[in-house]
Amino acid sequence: MRSIFGFTTLPAIVIGALGGCSAPAYSSDEPASDSQGTLDVATTNYAYFEIWSDLRKCASPTCGGWFVSRLNHSTTTCVDGRTAASCYTPVLDWSATGLTDRQQAPFLDACRRAAVSSGTYAIVRGEFARTNDTPRPQLGRFLVLEAWVAEGDPVTDGTFVRTQDNGMRCFAAPCPSITEQTLNMTTTANIAAMDWSPSGLSADEIAECTQDLTTPSGLLVAGYRYNYTVNGTAAKGRTVTAAFQRILLAP
């Protein structure tokens, strides 16, 4: 079970050489935690948090809500202005999403799974609001703008980024056709490969996730940047330890 003060970071996954390429090496331009960026819900790539259920046994709303922790940073600013590794909220306000109770269910289940695991199962984008309609309004609430759920059973490690197909097409490899943006930071890069082997996902699961690269929301992944060379050209890639798909309104 995870601590209410934070979460466990697992050891880095080392990947082997890629076929036909030089052995990859982790990139020195991978952003460091807290190097830049603040909570800014008005900016598309900001205000992303890991979230898990609160399993403590005490009277609601003091217990039984959720904990959130800002991705790619060691501290989170709570509703009362203090900073901590993670912050408690008794209420998730879904009004801005339009998601039904049925559509919220997989996300809430992922939050419960995350509470008894060291992995990240759910990601939420949003911000704190100062009041709620419980007997403890000063505990605030969390306004949900986006809800993301992990594919499979992840052993999460690395930096969290958004990945999207940038439309580039090439006659030969490497082709930097994927743009990645580091969540809660300003760092971006174009990469030419994604190494899915650390994720443990099946071919069908990987295919489903890969389809999201062409959507407006893209695909959120955790992993490590690596450098490699193919056809005499240097390129960047991203290992994938976990992948997250956004819950969208039913068409």
Side-chain angles (χ1 to χ4, degrees):
M1 183 180 301
R2 67 174 68 234
S3 164
I4 66 172
F5 301 107
F7 53 94
T8 303
T9 301
L10 301 176
I13 295 175
V14 179
I15 60 173
L18 303 177
C21 310
S22 65
Y26 291 128
S27 173
S28 60
D29 61 358
E30 187 78 82
S33 176
D34 285 337
S35 62
Q36 55 187 319
T38 58
L39 174 61
D40 182 5
V41 76
T43 305
T44 302
N45 212 49
Y46 280 71
Y48 284 91
F49 300 81
E50 177 186 6
I51 182 170
W52 63 94
S53 299
D54 175 23
L55 302 183
R56 295 176 299 167
K57 302 298 183 183
C58 67
S60 177
T62 306
C63 297
W66 295 266
F67 288 101
V68 298
S69 179
R70 187 170 53 142
L71 291 173
N72 295 326
H73 293 267
S74 60
T75 61
T76 302
T77 302
C78 304
V79 69
D80 59 2
R82 68 182 179 87
T83 58
S86 61
C87 302
Y88 175 75
T89 182
V91 174
L92 295 180
D93 183 344
W94 292 89
S95 59
T97 68
L99 296 174
T100 65
D101 290 347
R102 183 175 181 179
Q103 291 169 318
Q104 296 168 24
F107 176 84
L108 297 175
D109 179 63
C111 291
R112 288 188 287 270
R113 294 175 67 192
V116 295
S117 169
S118 60
T120 302
Y121 285 79
I123 291 174
V124 63
R125 180 172 184 261
E127 61 183 339
F128 287 102
R130 289 193 173 277
T131 61
N132 61 53
D133 56 5
T134 75
R136 297 285 302 277
Q138 70 275 18
L139 293 175
R141 68 190 189 279
F142 192 88
L143 302 174
V144 178
L145 299 180
E146 300 173 9
W148 299 73
V149 175
E151 185 72 28
D153 189 19
V155 181
T156 319
D157 196 18
T159 301
F160 289 83
V161 301
R162 180 198 310 278
T163 54
Q164 289 180 288
D165 189 319
N166 59 30
M168 181 178 292
R169 298 296 181 262
C170 310
F171 290 107
C175 186
S177 60
I178 299 170
T179 297
E180 62 173 33
Q181 299 173 291
T182 308
L183 297 183
N184 298 327
M185 295 185 180
T186 60
T187 309
T188 65
N190 290 329
I191 62 173
M194 297 177 72
D195 179 2
W196 290 86
S197 54
S199 70
L201 296 177
S202 68
D204 288 343
E205 290 172 326
I206 293 171
E208 181 180 348
C209 288
T210 302
Q211 291 177 357
D212 288 352
L213 294 174
T214 60
T215 66
S217 297
L219 180 73
L220 302 188
V221 303
Y224 288 94
R225 180 95 53 76
Y226 62 88
N227 297 322
Y228 69 103
T229 301
V230 60
N231 294 327
T233 301
K236 297 178 180 180
R238 167 73 54 181
T239 65
V240 179
T241 64
F244 303 83
Q245 296 180 294
R246 184 177 175 182
I247 299 176
L248 298 172
L249 288 170

